[in-house]
Amino acid sequence: MVKRIEVSGDVLIVGGGAAGGMAGILAAEAGAKVLMVDLARMERSGDVGAGNDHLAAYLNSGGDWDTKEVFLAWYLRLSQYLIDANVAEKTNVSLVPEMIARLEKMGVPLKDPKTGKYIRTMAFDQPASLWINFNGIDLKPLMIKEARRLGAQQFHRVMICDLLYAGEKVIGAVGFGIRTGDFYVFKAKNTILSTGPIQRLWENPTPYMFNTWHGPYCGAAAFHMALNSGAEFANVEIATNNVVVKGFNTPGYNGMMGMGARVINALGEQFLQKYHPRGEKGPKWAVCWGIYQEKMAGRGPCYFDVRHLTPEAMEHLEKNLLPVDKLTYMDYVRQKGLDLRKDLLELDLSEMALTGVTGDPSGILMDERCWTGVEGLYTAGTCAVPAYALMGALTTGICAGREAARETLSKKEKPVKPSVNAIRRAEQEIYAPLKRKKGIPWQEFELKRQKTMSRYVGIGRTEQGMLTAAEELKKLDQTLQEIKVNNLHELMRANEARHLLEASKLVTRSALERKESRFGHGHWRGDYPETREEWHGSVIVRKAGDGFKVRFKKADVKKSH
Amino acid sequence: MPPVIDKKKCTHCGLCDKFCPGDIIHMRKGERSAKKSPAVVYPEECFHCGICRVECAPGAIQIVFPPLML
């Protein structure tokens, strides 16, 4: 018999990563009763649970480059003006000074402890040195502790699987304890979805499914829930890949390029300028495109080259940047038998993913208050748009937490009671794979789904291929009902598979709509290989009945300037 | 496969299990001992993030990459 735990609050936060952590702090500070839930232990959960080494910010330090205006212009240009200028300014860019102040007050060491100054570097098509390099290993533990100090109630190792509704209004969510098996019913006046990037939608280039470029444990819960609520998604066909260390599948590109690394081909030539005028410092999609073209031209493999860096630069790179980008970076380099002062480091292209990285125009659509347009439902972090990487997660977390709390506290309604039948149905669906007597393992299902996405909706897409993908994904609805699991850990993976299937269908539908190519591999169609002015805008999709409803919104470049 | 836990150095505190974001390390009772020890139950789901090693005070954890990744 499954134990049922019911909890009520003002603001429910699904996902306690960088965005959810900040949202928890702001909502609790505003006086709301906050419920934070994460499928892992929150101090180390999410995409930056193990830390991060770079944060985009302007600091108003005096230079004409270090301002909100320059930062916002860069922010909009990187998305090719597909993100809404007003929303980007209100939910992201204008909150940068508050983000910096809050992090420093919590004790996150943004300044170099040796010099007491910020270390600023430049990469990814920035107009100036707008990255802060810092040691962010304790970022998450400090944030989660602060939210707890302010009174947020934290539920660790609980996987939220589905939302609860009263009519079309979201009134909470249900899930299960991944170690206890307990069934959780959360009732809340407002819910914030912040489960981060989706990394396992496509196959990665290594033999291990979880050896992804960004953190693999974030799943696709926010996408699944937002989709079923009727919320809209923008540009989810535009995926991102990255330059990674071959075999390790980890980037470190920002740290490397920030310090002046080169990318060279097998002939020892620097070649990226052939593909983008800014070469190594160009936008991520252009760097990936250039490396792919170079390899296809027969001049691979390609390498990171840092042999020319000064001893001081190498020390900073090896001690402060790479091992914070991923803690095990230098372990990998050593076990591979390499010395970066003397040897080249072979690179590769990572899998495609919906990562919410810098410049990414895709995700759950929100307004200038991080509201999704569905009553009771907000979103924040890299599952939302716009929100670039760590800075976007932290600032949208500030905005969503503050706005959801304000909205909740401005009304004196009691939480609506969810229907008993709806709760029972959700419970049955969540636990079904555990109750089956026979069936297939979740891994078999996931391999089939991932291969379908990589073959037909990956790098290089055509209408014919994507229609095949849509058919194959529809067939997987039945296969999903055949997954049998043996324990709670596998039950988590089975529910993730359910969420990932929904996200796969959404991406495929959106990719079919955009009849042009844009962002390099991000959306590269063999049947429409050009970037076209009439498609300069956002493909916006939402669920309607068993299918999808699609609309197109032209980019407003004038408004953006 | 990563992580590799040195049983002699392990103090059975359980922090590696508690903080592993992928739920791959579980404290389990051994056949010979009543004490629970950490076991890497799902090594193929490891992201090599190194959180278990950071949280391990006695330094009992090493990250060893499998040959297929090197």
Side-chain angles (χ1 to χ4, degrees):
Chain A
M1 185 68 188
V2 172
K3 189 171 136 195
R4 181 181 292 193
I5 297 167
E6 295 198 13
V7 195
S8 295
D10 294 322
V11 177
L12 168 66
I13 299 169
V14 182
M22 221 27 141
I25 290 168
L26 270 288
E29 204 175 67
K33 186 182 177 195
V34 177
L35 314 171
M36 297 170 71
V37 192
D38 198 293
L39 54 70
R41 180 81 203 177
M42 248 170 266
E43 285 86 345
R44 290 296 183 194
S45 75
D47 206 23
V48 293
N52 198 352
D53 67 337
H54 58 284
L55 176 67
Y58 57 92
L59 295 172
N60 297 314
S61 63
D64 56 4
W65 56 272
D66 205 8
T67 63
K68 180 183 161 186
E69 289 70 31
V70 170
F71 194 88
L72 181 63
W74 164 68
Y75 217 72
L76 300 173
R77 177 168 57 80
L78 263 196
S79 79
Q80 300 184 5
Y81 305 100
L82 299 198
I83 60 171
D84 184 289
N86 180 40
V87 177
E89 186 187 354
K90 297 269 168 47
T91 62
N92 286 237
V93 176
S94 68
L95 298 172
V96 167
E98 180 175 352
M99 167 191 80
I100 297 286
R102 284 183 177 275
L103 290 177
E104 292 191 322
K105 200 175 159 206
M106 274 178 237
V108 178
L110 294 180
K111 286 178 183 155
D112 181 358
K114 276 190 204 156
T115 63
K117 292 181 179 161
Y118 297 102
I119 301 173
R120 313 288 295 279
T121 60
M122 173 165 39
F124 296 136
D125 207 17
Q126 282 183 333
S129 296
L130 293 171
W131 293 110
I132 299 174
N133 283 161
F134 73 111
N135 185 337
I137 287 180
D138 293 327
L139 174 80
K140 274 300 306 292
L142 287 166
M143 282 175 58
I144 297 307
K145 194 174 147 196
E146 176 68 358
R148 197 157 49 230
R149 186 185 71 79
L150 291 163
Q153 214 179 333
Q154 297 174 340
F155 300 84
H156 308 272
R157 292 179 155 183
V158 173
M159 183 188 187
I160 295 281
C161 298
D162 295 280
L163 293 174
L164 291 170
Y165 302 91
E168 290 177 354
K169 180 181 157 62
V170 173
I171 54 167
V174 291
F176 72 100
I178 67 159
R179 285 296 179 96
T180 61
D182 297 341
F183 181 59
Y184 281 82
V185 180
F186 294 98
K187 289 174 263 184
K189 292 175 193 166
N190 277 303
T191 298
I192 300 172
L193 296 177
S194 51
T195 68
I198 307 182
Q199 200 67 34
R200 282 188 280 133
L201 215 58
W202 287 271
E203 284 173 301
N204 75 61
T206 78
Y208 303 104
M209 195 182 273
F210 289 73
N211 190 37
T212 48
W213 151 40
H214 268 245
Y217 305 124
C218 294
F223 263 44
H224 159 79
M225 287 184 267
L227 194 60
N228 284 298
S229 76
E232 289 188 315
F233 292 77
N235 306 313
V236 290
E237 73 283 2
I238 296 169
T240 318
N241 57 351
N242 203 356
V243 188
V244 291
V245 176
K246 179 110 184 151
F248 190 31
N249 203 30
T250 296
Y253 190 88
N254 187 295
M256 292 250 199
M257 295 309 135
M259 298 311 291
R262 297 176 183 140
V263 171
I264 60 171
N265 63 19
L267 308 177
E269 301 160 338
Q270 262 182 290
F271 59 89
L272 282 171
Q273 274 195 331
K274 282 194 291 190
Y275 303 101
H276 192 279
R278 299 204 68 190
E280 273 92 340
K281 292 197 192 297
K284 193 182 300 246
W285 67 265
V287 172
C288 291
W289 180 260
I291 289 168
Y292 182 83
Q293 296 301 326
E294 199 69 4
K295 285 170 91 174
M296 289 296 115
R299 290 187 287 272
C302 299
Y303 301 91
F304 287 118
D305 184 1
V306 289
R307 296 173 300 177
H308 56 286
L309 297 189
T310 63
E312 295 76 35
M314 278 308 291
E315 190 178 323
H316 183 54
L317 186 66
E318 291 190 330
K319 284 197 175 154
N320 304 325
L321 300 183
L322 299 178
V324 183
D325 203 25
K326 191 159 183 176
L327 294 174
T328 55
Y329 206 110
M330 292 314 295
D331 297 84
Y332 182 83
V333 171
R334 274 191 293 275
Q335 287 178 38
K336 183 98 180 160
L338 298 177
D339 174 355
L340 297 183
R341 286 167 176 78
K342 289 189 285 191
D343 301 312
L344 297 172
L345 186 60
E346 188 178 341
L347 55 80
D348 199 358
L349 294 179
S350 76
E351 69 279 13
M352 306 291 283
L354 297 178
T355 54
V357 292
T358 303
D360 181 14
S362 69
I364 304 166
L365 200 58
M366 61 181 192
D367 72 0
E368 69 280 3
R369 298 179 298 125
C370 291
W371 183 51
T372 62
V374 174
E375 206 182 341
L377 195 63
Y378 289 75
T379 186
T382 48
C383 58
V385 65
Y388 295 168
L390 178 59
M391 174 248 136
L394 294 168
T395 51
T396 54
I398 290 174
C399 179
R402 182 182 283 144
E403 293 295 335
R406 182 182 296 163
E407 208 274 340
T408 306
L409 297 171
S410 68
K411 291 178 185 167
K412 294 210 167 140
E413 306 167 348
K414 282 187 177 169
V416 184
K417 223 176 160 190
S419 103
V420 174
N421 284 341
I423 293 176
R424 195 178 299 136
R425 269 199 309 276
E427 183 179 357
Q428 278 168 357
E429 184 159 23
I430 289 167
Y431 290 95
L434 202 51
K435 296 197 169 154
R436 288 188 189 112
K437 295 258 175 353
K438 57 178 186 174
I440 60 164
W442 67 267
Q443 291 93 335
E444 206 172 302
F445 174 92
E446 270 295 279
L447 271 174
K448 168 72 182 167
R449 188 199 54 73
Q450 277 197 336
K451 283 195 183 299
T452 302
M453 289 302 286
S454 297
R455 277 176 196 155
Y456 306 116
V457 203
I459 294 179
R461 302 167 173 174
T462 59
E463 177 146 327
Q464 178 67 25
M466 288 188 285
L467 289 172
T468 306
E471 257 177 58
E472 293 293 319
L473 293 169
K474 196 162 178 9
K475 281 187 214 160
L476 283 176
D477 281 340
Q478 179 54 41
T479 318
L480 187 72
Q481 304 306 318
E482 293 163 18
I483 296 178
K484 179 200 162 17
V485 302
N486 301 304
N487 56 46
L488 294 167
H489 176 87
E490 291 181 2
L491 186 65
M492 169 174 69
R493 298 288 179 239
N495 275 285
E496 283 172 352
R498 175 162 69 94
H499 299 162
L500 286 161
L501 178 60
E502 292 262 14
S504 302
K505 289 180 187 171
L506 171 72
V507 168
T508 304
R509 178 63 190 89
S510 201
L512 269 164
E513 190 70 16
R514 187 182 286 279
K515 293 179 178 57
E516 64 151 1
S517 293
R518 196 172 282 278
F519 286 99
H521 299 140
H523 182 64
W524 178 27
R525 289 193 58 157
D527 46 2
Y528 299 98
E530 308 296 329
T531 300
R532 294 164 61 181
E533 183 50 37
E534 66 264 39
W535 282 99
H536 185 210
S538 292
V539 171
I540 297 172
V541 184
R542 69 177 169 86
K543 198 170 178 179
D546 287 339
F548 296 99
K549 193 158 183 171
V550 188
R551 67 184 175 97
F552 182 74
K553 189 179 167 225
K554 276 293 275 179
D556 190 350
V557 181
K558 271 189 206 149
K559 199 172 127 196
S560 299
H561 281 300
Chain B
M1 292 279 277
V4 175
I5 301 166
D6 184 337
K7 286 181 185 161
K8 284 184 192 152
K9 286 189 186 167
C10 175
T11 58
H12 309 267
C13 69
L15 289 182
C16 52
D17 168 350
K18 182 176 174 181
F19 288 108
C20 170
D23 189 45
I24 75 164
I25 305 175
H26 289 224
M27 293 299 281
R28 289 197 165 164
K29 258 186 200 166
E31 282 174 18
R32 292 181 193 165
S33 161
K35 259 192 202 167
K36 281 187 175 178
S37 296
V40 183
V41 187
Y42 303 100
E44 70 284 359
E45 294 175 24
C46 180
F47 174 55
H48 328 109
C49 65
I51 285 172
C52 53
R53 187 174 65 183
V54 167
E55 297 293 345
C56 179
I61 297 181
Q62 270 192 302
I63 304 294
V64 180
F65 291 97
L68 275 174
M69 279 179 68
L70 290 168

